[in-house]
Amino acid sequence: DRNATLAYSSASTDLRHIDTHIDWDLLTEPPQRDGFCTFWHNVPTSDRYSDRMERRQAEFLVKSGVALNLVTRIGVLNLDKAAQVRTMVQDAGLNLPVEAMPAWYF
């Protein structure tokens, strides 16, 4: 439900918890960039945002694999990497968009 390195984080191996362990409203509230809120910083004087950064670091990890029909695109840091990954995707016979998304990296 937050950065997994914190002793008080709550972990789960049950995908049914994805809606309660990830604060989707916090992740997607305006202002947005590419569908996600641009703000990461904590606001100590706000109950809602006092731990925003650690809650935005909640994650679900995949152990064995993800069905490719669930992947909508691949985002990479820059155009050079996009070209490299695009070649790999095409060589694998996949039709999956690869985009340079430098705003995803912080």
Side-chain angles (χ1 to χ4, degrees):
D1 65 343
R2 62 193 64 241
N3 183 315
T5 64
L6 300 170
Y8 53 90
S9 68
S10 176
S12 174
T13 58
D14 190 339
L15 190 57
R16 291 175 295 182
H17 295 158
I18 197 166
D19 287 332
T20 57
H21 274 56
I22 297 194
D23 189 340
W24 295 107
D25 290 337
L26 183 71
L27 287 172
T28 58
E29 69 185 3
Q32 293 182 349
R33 177 182 299 138
D34 199 35
F36 294 95
C37 182
T38 58
F39 294 139
W40 279 81
H41 64 282
N42 292 335
V43 180
T45 57
S46 167
D47 288 341
R48 176 156 172 76
Y49 302 120
S50 63
D51 60 351
R52 174 176 26 204
M53 186 179 305
E54 66 192 49
R55 287 187 296 137
R56 288 206 54 182
Q57 294 172 344
E59 60 191 1
F60 267 76
L61 303 176
V62 176
K63 181 177 182 181
S64 299
V66 174
L68 284 176
N69 66 322
L70 299 175
V71 178
T72 59
R73 63 185 162 166
I74 298 174
V76 298
L77 179 60
N78 57 48
L79 292 173
D80 289 338
K81 290 298 177 190
Q84 292 174 2
V85 173
R86 196 172 291 117
T87 298
M88 294 167 64
V89 168
Q90 290 170 349
D91 288 350
L94 302 172
N95 183 20
L96 190 59
V98 178
E99 301 175 33
M101 304 296 293
W104 283 6
Y105 294 83
F106 50 91

